[in-house]
């Protein structure tokens, strides 16, 4: 989905659509509709307006479309499952790297990566991502607070 289509969908999927969203953006509903209409080239959504739409709606679709159009993926910083202490999360993140490396080593051992091996490598890679994001989220939530040290 391109960015303009994502903006259009975000505005019109908001409960009450543009009529409800526009006042929250200090904008006329007709102007908002024109700015997100892919067939109208005379009105365009400014970057700060897109940012405000994302903030009010809580819908990251515009960001996801923009990232995808440039070859990136969007991942929230508080994604992932947080279970245990920060030390548990650090160790779990390290373990996930080891599991990923083991899957790659096993797949490469015969010189041929099968479809099933690739799926296992992909699952292991996503597990690394999840573990890293869980740790990052825990550290974000802990920012600015004092923590006991372990001796």
């Amino acid at each position: 989905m391109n960015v303009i289509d994502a903006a259009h969908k975000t505005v019109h999927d908001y409960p009450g659509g543009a009529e409800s969203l526009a006042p929250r953006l200090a904008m006329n509903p007709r102007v908002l509709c024109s700015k997100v209409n892919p067939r109208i080239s005379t009105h365009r959504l400014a970057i700060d307006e897109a940012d405000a739409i994302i903030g009010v709606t809580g819908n990251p679709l515009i960001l996801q479309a923009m990232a995808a159009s440039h070859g990136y993926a969007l991942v929230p910083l508080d994604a992932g499952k947080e279970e245990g202490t920060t030390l548990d999360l650090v160790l779990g993140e390290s373990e996930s790297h080891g599991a990923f490396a083991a899957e790659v080593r096993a797949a490469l051992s015969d010189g041929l990566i099968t479809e099933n091996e690739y799926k296992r490598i992909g699952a292991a890679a996503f597990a690394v991502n999840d573990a890293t994001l869980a740790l990052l989220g825990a550290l974000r939530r802990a920012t600015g607070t004092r923590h006991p040290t372990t001796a």
Side-chain angles (χ1 to χ4, degrees):
M1 175 178 298
N2 70 45
V3 177
I4 300 298
D5 289 340
H8 184 268
K9 182 169 177 39
T10 300
V11 167
H12 292 288
D13 283 356
Y14 187 75
E19 290 290 328
S20 176
L21 181 58
R24 290 167 174 80
L25 303 169
M27 193 180 295
N28 181 295
R30 287 185 189 157
V31 171
L32 178 59
C33 283
S34 293
K35 287 184 175 216
V36 299
N37 187 331
R39 290 174 274 156
I40 295 177
S41 61
T42 55
H43 292 76
R44 286 290 180 212
L45 197 62
I47 194 83
D48 59 328
E49 293 168 333
D51 183 55
I53 289 170
I54 295 163
V56 170
T57 66
N59 184 338
L61 190 59
I62 297 169
L63 282 174
Q64 290 168 337
M66 188 177 288
S69 73
H70 295 281
Y72 291 86
L74 184 68
V75 179
L77 291 179
D78 62 353
K81 299 174 215 134
E82 180 186 342
E83 295 175 14
T85 65
T86 302
L87 178 59
D88 291 332
L89 292 169
V90 169
L91 295 174
E93 199 267 349
S94 293
E95 287 172 357
S96 68
H97 280 278
F100 172 75
E103 287 296 342
V104 172
R105 179 186 298 271
L108 293 174
S109 67
D110 63 358
L112 173 69
I113 299 176
T114 66
E115 190 63 34
N116 284 336
E117 288 170 330
Y118 179 77
K119 287 178 183 176
R120 286 194 300 273
I121 291 169
F126 284 116
V128 170
N129 187 53
D130 288 347
T132 302
L133 290 173
L135 175 59
L136 188 59
L139 294 172
R140 163 47 72 206
R141 288 183 290 281
T143 300
T145 60
R146 194 167 295 282
H147 302 279
T149 57
T150 56

